[in-house]
Amino acid sequence: MSVSSGSFFDLATFARIAGILFPIVAIVIAGFWYGRKHNPEMSVANRLNMDVFVPALILGAMMSKSFDPARYAGLAAGAALIVLCSGLLARPLAKALNIDWRTFVPPMMFNNSANIGIPLAVLAWGEDALAAAVILYSVSNVLHFSVGLHMLDRDAQLKTLWRNPTLLAVFAGLSISLMRIPVWPPLVEALQLMGNVAVPLLLFALGVRMREVRFDALTAPLLGAFLKPAFGMLLAWGFALLLGLNERDTAMLIIFGALPPAVMNFLFAERYAQDPQRVAAIVLIGNLASLIILPVALGIVL
Protein backbone atom coordinates (compact mmCIF):
# COMPACT_ATOMS: atom_id res chain seq x y z
CA MET A 1 0.00 0.00 0.00
CA SER A 2 1.44 3.35 -0.99
CA VAL A 3 0.16 6.87 -0.41
CA SER A 4 1.57 9.74 -2.41
CA SER A 5 2.57 12.95 -0.65
CA GLY A 6 -0.37 15.24 -0.05
CA SER A 7 -2.87 12.75 -1.49
CA PHE A 8 -5.12 13.02 1.56
CA PHE A 9 -5.86 16.67 0.70
CA ASP A 10 -6.31 16.04 -3.01
CA LEU A 11 -9.74 17.25 -4.12
CA ALA A 12 -10.46 14.11 -6.14
CA THR A 13 -9.60 11.91 -3.13
CA PHE A 14 -11.78 14.04 -0.87
CA ALA A 15 -14.68 13.79 -3.34
CA ARG A 16 -14.28 10.00 -3.48
CA ILE A 17 -14.26 9.69 0.32
CA ALA A 18 -17.34 11.91 0.56
CA GLY A 19 -19.07 9.80 -2.07
CA ILE A 20 -18.27 6.60 -0.15
CA LEU A 21 -19.43 7.88 3.23
CA PHE A 22 -22.46 9.92 2.17
CA PRO A 23 -24.87 6.99 1.52
CA ILE A 24 -23.90 5.45 4.89
CA VAL A 25 -24.28 8.71 6.83
CA ALA A 26 -27.51 9.60 5.01
CA ILE A 27 -29.21 6.33 5.93
CA VAL A 28 -27.99 6.54 9.54
CA ILE A 29 -29.31 10.13 9.79
CA ALA A 30 -32.64 9.01 8.31
CA GLY A 31 -32.85 6.30 11.00
CA PHE A 32 -31.95 8.82 13.71
CA TRP A 33 -34.58 11.31 12.49
CA TYR A 34 -37.27 8.65 12.20
CA GLY A 35 -36.35 7.26 15.62
CA ARG A 36 -36.62 10.68 17.27
CA LYS A 37 -39.92 11.41 15.57
CA HIS A 38 -41.71 8.07 15.92
CA ASN A 39 -39.74 6.09 18.55
CA PRO A 40 -40.21 2.82 16.59
CA GLU A 41 -39.90 -0.61 18.16
CA MET A 42 -37.00 -2.05 16.14
CA SER A 43 -36.61 -5.41 17.87
CA VAL A 44 -38.68 -7.32 15.29
CA ALA A 45 -36.92 -5.67 12.34
CA ASN A 46 -33.49 -6.25 13.91
CA ARG A 47 -34.29 -9.88 14.62
CA LEU A 48 -35.52 -10.40 11.06
CA ASN A 49 -32.34 -8.83 9.76
CA MET A 50 -30.01 -10.94 11.89
CA ASP A 51 -32.05 -14.16 11.41
CA VAL A 52 -32.92 -13.84 7.70
CA PHE A 53 -31.41 -11.01 5.67
CA VAL A 54 -27.81 -10.99 6.98
CA PRO A 55 -27.51 -14.81 6.67
CA ALA A 56 -28.90 -14.48 3.13
CA LEU A 57 -26.28 -11.81 2.37
CA ILE A 58 -23.52 -14.10 3.62
CA LEU A 59 -24.77 -17.19 1.77
CA GLY A 60 -25.34 -15.24 -1.44
CA ALA A 61 -21.77 -13.93 -1.35
CA MET A 62 -20.20 -17.27 -0.43
CA MET A 63 -22.19 -19.25 -2.99
CA SER A 64 -21.18 -17.01 -5.88
CA LYS A 65 -18.81 -18.56 -8.39
CA SER A 66 -16.10 -15.99 -7.62
CA PHE A 67 -15.82 -16.88 -3.93
CA ASP A 68 -12.67 -18.82 -3.02
CA PRO A 69 -12.18 -19.37 0.75
CA ALA A 70 -8.45 -20.08 0.40
CA ARG A 71 -8.00 -16.66 -1.21
CA TYR A 72 -9.06 -14.96 2.05
CA ALA A 73 -7.12 -17.08 4.58
CA GLY A 74 -4.57 -14.33 5.24
CA LEU A 75 -7.26 -11.67 5.57
CA ALA A 76 -9.19 -13.85 8.03
CA ALA A 77 -6.04 -14.48 10.10
CA GLY A 78 -5.32 -10.74 10.18
CA ALA A 79 -8.84 -9.95 11.37
CA ALA A 80 -8.64 -12.55 14.15
CA LEU A 81 -5.27 -11.21 15.32
CA ILE A 82 -6.59 -7.63 15.40
CA VAL A 83 -9.61 -8.63 17.49
CA LEU A 84 -7.59 -10.66 20.00
CA CYS A 85 -4.67 -8.22 20.32
CA SER A 86 -7.07 -5.29 20.75
CA GLY A 87 -8.40 -7.08 23.81
CA LEU A 88 -4.90 -7.57 25.21
CA LEU A 89 -4.15 -3.85 24.76
CA ALA A 90 -7.48 -2.74 26.25
CA ARG A 91 -7.19 -4.79 29.45
CA PRO A 92 -4.53 -2.59 31.17
CA LEU A 93 -6.32 0.54 29.95
CA ALA A 94 -9.50 -0.61 31.68
CA LYS A 95 -7.51 -1.06 34.88
CA ALA A 96 -6.02 2.44 34.53
CA LEU A 97 -9.53 3.89 34.07
CA ASN A 98 -10.78 1.91 37.09
CA ILE A 99 -13.47 0.23 34.97
CA ASP A 100 -14.47 -3.42 35.11
CA TRP A 101 -12.57 -4.96 32.18
CA ARG A 102 -15.68 -6.90 31.13
CA THR A 103 -17.37 -3.56 30.50
CA PHE A 104 -14.55 -1.92 28.54
CA VAL A 105 -12.63 -4.68 26.75
CA PRO A 106 -15.36 -6.28 24.55
CA PRO A 107 -16.30 -2.99 22.78
CA MET A 108 -12.59 -2.46 22.09
CA MET A 109 -12.39 -5.89 20.46
CA PHE A 110 -15.56 -6.44 18.48
CA ASN A 111 -16.29 -3.83 15.83
CA ASN A 112 -19.13 -2.71 13.63
CA SER A 113 -18.10 -4.83 10.66
CA ALA A 114 -21.73 -5.43 9.65
CA ASN A 115 -23.55 -2.09 9.91
CA ILE A 116 -20.63 -0.01 8.64
CA GLY A 117 -17.91 -2.42 7.49
CA ILE A 118 -19.85 -4.21 4.74
CA PRO A 119 -21.43 -1.15 3.06
CA LEU A 120 -18.18 0.82 3.39
CA ALA A 121 -16.19 -1.93 1.67
CA VAL A 122 -18.68 -2.25 -1.20
CA LEU A 123 -18.86 1.51 -1.74
CA ALA A 124 -15.06 1.90 -1.60
CA TRP A 125 -13.98 -1.14 -3.65
CA GLY A 126 -17.11 -2.32 -5.46
CA GLU A 127 -19.14 -5.51 -5.38
CA ASP A 128 -15.97 -7.60 -5.75
CA ALA A 129 -15.08 -6.62 -2.18
CA LEU A 130 -18.30 -8.04 -0.72
CA ALA A 131 -16.87 -11.53 -0.17
CA ALA A 132 -13.83 -10.11 1.66
CA ALA A 133 -16.08 -7.88 3.79
CA VAL A 134 -18.23 -10.89 4.67
CA ILE A 135 -15.10 -12.81 5.73
CA LEU A 136 -14.02 -9.96 8.02
CA TYR A 137 -17.50 -9.76 9.54
CA SER A 138 -17.68 -13.54 9.93
CA VAL A 139 -14.35 -13.73 11.79
CA SER A 140 -15.40 -10.96 14.17
CA ASN A 141 -18.82 -12.54 14.70
CA VAL A 142 -17.47 -16.03 15.39
CA LEU A 143 -15.03 -14.63 17.96
CA HIS A 144 -17.75 -12.47 19.53
CA PHE A 145 -20.09 -15.43 20.03
CA SER A 146 -17.29 -17.60 21.43
CA VAL A 147 -14.50 -15.62 23.12
CA GLY A 148 -16.67 -12.56 23.74
CA LEU A 149 -19.54 -14.53 25.19
CA HIS A 150 -17.19 -16.49 27.45
CA MET A 151 -15.74 -13.21 28.76
CA LEU A 152 -19.19 -12.20 30.05
CA ASP A 153 -20.40 -15.66 31.03
CA ARG A 154 -17.80 -18.23 32.07
CA ASP A 155 -20.47 -20.94 31.87
CA ALA A 156 -21.30 -20.17 28.23
CA GLN A 157 -20.95 -23.20 26.00
CA LEU A 158 -19.72 -23.31 22.43
CA LYS A 159 -22.83 -25.24 21.43
CA THR A 160 -24.70 -21.91 21.51
CA LEU A 161 -22.81 -21.03 18.31
CA TRP A 162 -25.05 -23.44 16.41
CA ARG A 163 -28.13 -21.46 17.42
CA ASN A 164 -26.94 -18.32 15.65
CA PRO A 165 -28.32 -18.05 12.07
CA THR A 166 -25.50 -15.75 10.97
CA LEU A 167 -22.82 -18.20 12.04
CA LEU A 168 -24.75 -21.11 10.56
CA ALA A 169 -24.76 -19.21 7.26
CA VAL A 170 -20.98 -18.72 7.53
CA PHE A 171 -20.33 -22.41 8.19
CA ALA A 172 -22.78 -23.51 5.47
CA GLY A 173 -21.33 -21.11 2.91
CA LEU A 174 -17.75 -22.17 3.66
CA SER A 175 -18.68 -25.87 3.49
CA ILE A 176 -20.43 -25.46 0.13
CA SER A 177 -17.50 -23.48 -1.28
CA LEU A 178 -14.79 -25.82 0.03
CA MET A 179 -16.60 -28.95 -1.21
CA ARG A 180 -17.48 -27.18 -4.48
CA ILE A 181 -21.12 -28.22 -4.22
CA PRO A 182 -23.03 -26.85 -7.24
CA VAL A 183 -25.84 -24.46 -6.33
CA TRP A 184 -28.82 -23.67 -8.55
CA PRO A 185 -28.21 -20.09 -9.84
CA PRO A 186 -31.81 -18.91 -9.20
CA LEU A 187 -31.34 -19.89 -5.52
CA VAL A 188 -28.19 -17.78 -5.33
CA GLU A 189 -30.07 -14.89 -6.95
CA ALA A 190 -32.92 -15.23 -4.45
CA LEU A 191 -30.45 -15.15 -1.56
CA GLN A 192 -28.72 -12.10 -3.02
CA LEU A 193 -32.05 -10.30 -3.40
CA MET A 194 -32.88 -10.96 0.26
CA GLY A 195 -29.34 -9.97 1.23
CA ASN A 196 -29.85 -6.59 -0.44
CA VAL A 197 -32.25 -5.75 2.40
CA ALA A 198 -29.61 -6.34 5.09
CA VAL A 199 -27.21 -3.42 4.67
CA PRO A 200 -29.74 -0.54 4.46
CA LEU A 201 -31.68 -1.99 7.39
CA LEU A 202 -28.48 -2.37 9.45
CA LEU A 203 -27.62 1.30 8.85
CA PHE A 204 -31.16 2.50 9.53
CA ALA A 205 -31.31 0.52 12.78
CA LEU A 206 -27.96 2.01 13.83
CA GLY A 207 -29.42 5.49 13.31
CA VAL A 208 -32.48 4.65 15.41
CA ARG A 209 -30.18 3.39 18.17
CA MET A 210 -28.15 6.63 18.05
CA ARG A 211 -31.02 8.58 19.62
CA GLU A 212 -30.24 6.87 22.93
CA VAL A 213 -26.71 8.28 23.28
CA ARG A 214 -25.95 9.84 26.68
CA PHE A 215 -23.30 12.48 27.24
CA ASP A 216 -22.28 11.75 30.83
CA ALA A 217 -19.20 9.96 32.21
CA LEU A 218 -17.41 10.50 28.91
CA THR A 219 -13.80 9.64 29.82
CA ALA A 220 -13.93 5.95 28.88
CA PRO A 221 -16.19 6.40 25.81
CA LEU A 222 -14.04 9.18 24.37
CA LEU A 223 -10.77 7.36 25.02
CA GLY A 224 -12.20 4.20 23.50
CA ALA A 225 -13.61 6.09 20.51
CA PHE A 226 -10.18 7.33 19.42
CA LEU A 227 -7.72 4.81 20.86
CA LYS A 228 -9.55 1.77 19.48
CA PRO A 229 -9.24 2.78 15.81
CA ALA A 230 -5.69 4.10 16.33
CA PHE A 231 -4.50 0.79 17.79
CA GLY A 232 -6.63 -1.15 15.31
CA MET A 233 -5.08 0.54 12.26
CA LEU A 234 -1.54 0.09 13.61
CA LEU A 235 -2.18 -3.58 14.31
CA ALA A 236 -3.74 -4.03 10.85
CA TRP A 237 -0.76 -2.44 9.13
CA GLY A 238 1.68 -4.64 11.03
CA PHE A 239 -0.23 -7.88 10.50
CA ALA A 240 -0.79 -7.09 6.80
CA LEU A 241 2.99 -6.82 6.35
CA LEU A 242 3.56 -9.99 8.38
CA LEU A 243 0.98 -11.97 6.39
CA GLY A 244 2.03 -10.56 3.00
CA LEU A 245 -1.42 -9.28 2.04
CA ASN A 246 -1.99 -7.57 -1.28
CA GLU A 247 -2.79 -3.86 -1.54
CA ARG A 248 -6.59 -4.12 -1.45
CA ASP A 249 -6.68 -6.64 1.39
CA THR A 250 -4.24 -4.47 3.35
CA ALA A 251 -6.48 -1.46 2.83
CA MET A 252 -9.58 -3.42 3.87
CA LEU A 253 -7.82 -4.76 6.98
CA ILE A 254 -6.80 -1.22 7.99
CA ILE A 255 -10.40 -0.02 7.59
CA PHE A 256 -11.51 -3.06 9.62
CA GLY A 257 -9.15 -1.95 12.38
CA ALA A 258 -10.60 1.58 12.27
CA LEU A 259 -14.25 0.53 12.65
CA PRO A 260 -16.19 1.59 15.77
CA PRO A 261 -17.60 -0.86 18.37
CA ALA A 262 -20.42 -3.19 17.34
CA VAL A 263 -23.94 -2.57 18.63
CA MET A 264 -23.96 -6.23 19.65
CA ASN A 265 -21.66 -5.28 22.55
CA PHE A 266 -24.54 -3.35 24.11
CA LEU A 267 -26.99 -6.21 23.55
CA PHE A 268 -24.62 -8.65 25.28
CA ALA A 269 -23.98 -6.22 28.15
CA GLU A 270 -27.72 -5.78 28.62
CA ARG A 271 -28.31 -9.52 28.57
CA TYR A 272 -25.62 -10.23 31.18
CA ALA A 273 -26.16 -7.06 33.28
CA GLN A 274 -22.61 -5.87 32.59
CA ASP A 275 -23.06 -2.09 33.09
CA PRO A 276 -25.17 -1.74 29.90
CA GLN A 277 -25.53 2.05 30.12
CA ARG A 278 -21.77 2.59 30.10
CA VAL A 279 -21.33 0.05 27.30
CA ALA A 280 -24.06 1.85 25.32
CA ALA A 281 -22.16 5.14 25.74
CA ILE A 282 -18.89 3.52 24.57
CA VAL A 283 -20.60 1.98 21.55
CA LEU A 284 -22.64 4.99 20.48
CA ILE A 285 -19.95 7.63 21.00
CA GLY A 286 -17.51 5.37 19.17
CA ASN A 287 -19.90 5.24 16.23
CA LEU A 288 -20.37 9.02 16.29
CA ALA A 289 -16.59 9.50 16.37
CA SER A 290 -16.29 7.30 13.28
CA LEU A 291 -17.65 10.24 11.28
CA ILE A 292 -14.25 11.85 11.92
CA ILE A 293 -12.06 8.74 12.01
CA LEU A 294 -13.26 6.88 8.90
CA PRO A 295 -12.59 9.75 6.47
CA VAL A 296 -9.04 9.89 7.85
CA ALA A 297 -8.66 6.11 7.50
CA LEU A 298 -9.99 6.19 3.94
CA GLY A 299 -7.67 9.07 3.13
CA ILE A 300 -4.74 6.92 4.25
CA VAL A 301 -5.64 3.79 2.26
CA LEU A 302 -7.07 5.27 -0.94
Side-chain angles (χ1 to χ4, degrees):
M1 181 185 64
S2 61
V3 181
S4 61
S5 175
S7 63
F8 180 76
F9 297 99
D10 180 77
L11 184 60
T13 304
F14 177 80
R16 184 181 175 192
I17 292 169
I20 291 167
L21 291 177
F22 177 79
I24 295 172
V25 174
I27 297 173
V28 170
I29 289 174
F32 177 79
W33 175 84
Y34 190 86
R36 289 291 298 270
K37 190 174 180 64
H38 298 288
N39 191 28
E41 173 52 58
M42 293 294 293
S43 60
V44 175
N46 288 335
R47 181 161 186 170
L48 270 173
N49 209 16
M50 298 310 297
D51 287 354
V52 179
F53 300 126
V54 171
L57 176 74
I58 291 169
L59 278 173
M62 289 185 168
M63 286 181 178
S64 66
K65 292 181 180 178
S66 61
F67 181 74
D68 178 13
R71 153 76 176 78
Y72 301 108
L75 188 64
L81 287 168
I82 289 171
V83 171
L84 297 173
C85 290
S86 294
L88 293 176
L89 291 171
R91 183 74 180 264
L93 183 56
K95 185 176 181 180
L97 292 169
N98 197 27
I99 299 174
D100 187 338
W101 69 270
R102 294 178 185 84
T103 297
F104 186 75
V105 172
M108 298 300 100
M109 294 176 64
F110 306 109
N111 63 24
N112 209 337
S113 50
N115 300 63
I116 294 178
I118 290 175
L120 187 61
V122 172
L123 289 167
W125 292 283
E127 289 292 332
D128 289 343
L130 176 60
V134 165
I135 287 292
L136 291 170
Y137 165 64
S138 300
V139 169
S140 180
N141 213 24
V142 168
L143 289 173
H144 203 168
F145 277 86
S146 52
V147 176
L149 191 59
H150 188 69
M151 289 164 65
L152 297 178
D153 180 8
R154 294 295 177 88
D155 297 325
Q157 298 179 349
L158 287 178
K159 67 182 182 182
T160 58
L161 287 172
W162 300 102
R163 301 175 188 168
N164 184 283
T166 301
L167 298 184
L168 286 173
V170 171
F171 298 140
L174 285 173
S175 299
I176 290 169
S177 298
L178 290 170
M179 292 187 289
R180 302 188 182 278
I181 298 173
V183 182
W184 192 36
L187 174 59
V188 177
E189 186 175 348
L191 289 168
Q192 290 173 341
L193 284 172
M194 284 199 296
N196 289 340
V197 177
V199 170
L201 187 52
L202 285 167
L203 293 172
F204 191 87
L206 178 61
V208 173
R209 178 74 68 178
M210 286 287 190
R211 78 190 195 279
E212 299 173 5
V213 69
R214 292 173 55 184
F215 295 98
D216 55 355
L218 290 179
T219 303
L222 286 174
L223 275 175
F226 291 97
L227 287 179
K228 178 192 182 304
F231 286 139
M233 286 190 286
L234 285 172
L235 288 170
W237 178 75
F239 289 135
L241 287 177
L242 181 66
L243 295 166
L245 300 184
N246 63 35
E247 185 172 350
R248 194 197 72 176
D249 285 359
T250 297
M252 290 188 70
L253 195 63
I254 289 173
I255 295 299
F256 176 81
L259 292 172
V263 177
M264 188 64 70
N265 289 295
F266 166 69
L267 300 180
F268 274 15
E270 194 171 47
R271 177 178 176 183
Y272 293 102
Q274 186 60 51
D275 201 353
Q277 292 304 320
R278 178 168 282 180
V279 174
I282 293 171
V283 168
L284 295 172
I285 290 174
N287 279 271
L288 288 173
S290 69
L291 296 175
I292 300 170
I293 293 161
L294 288 178
V296 174
L298 285 168
I300 291 170
V301 303
L302 293 179

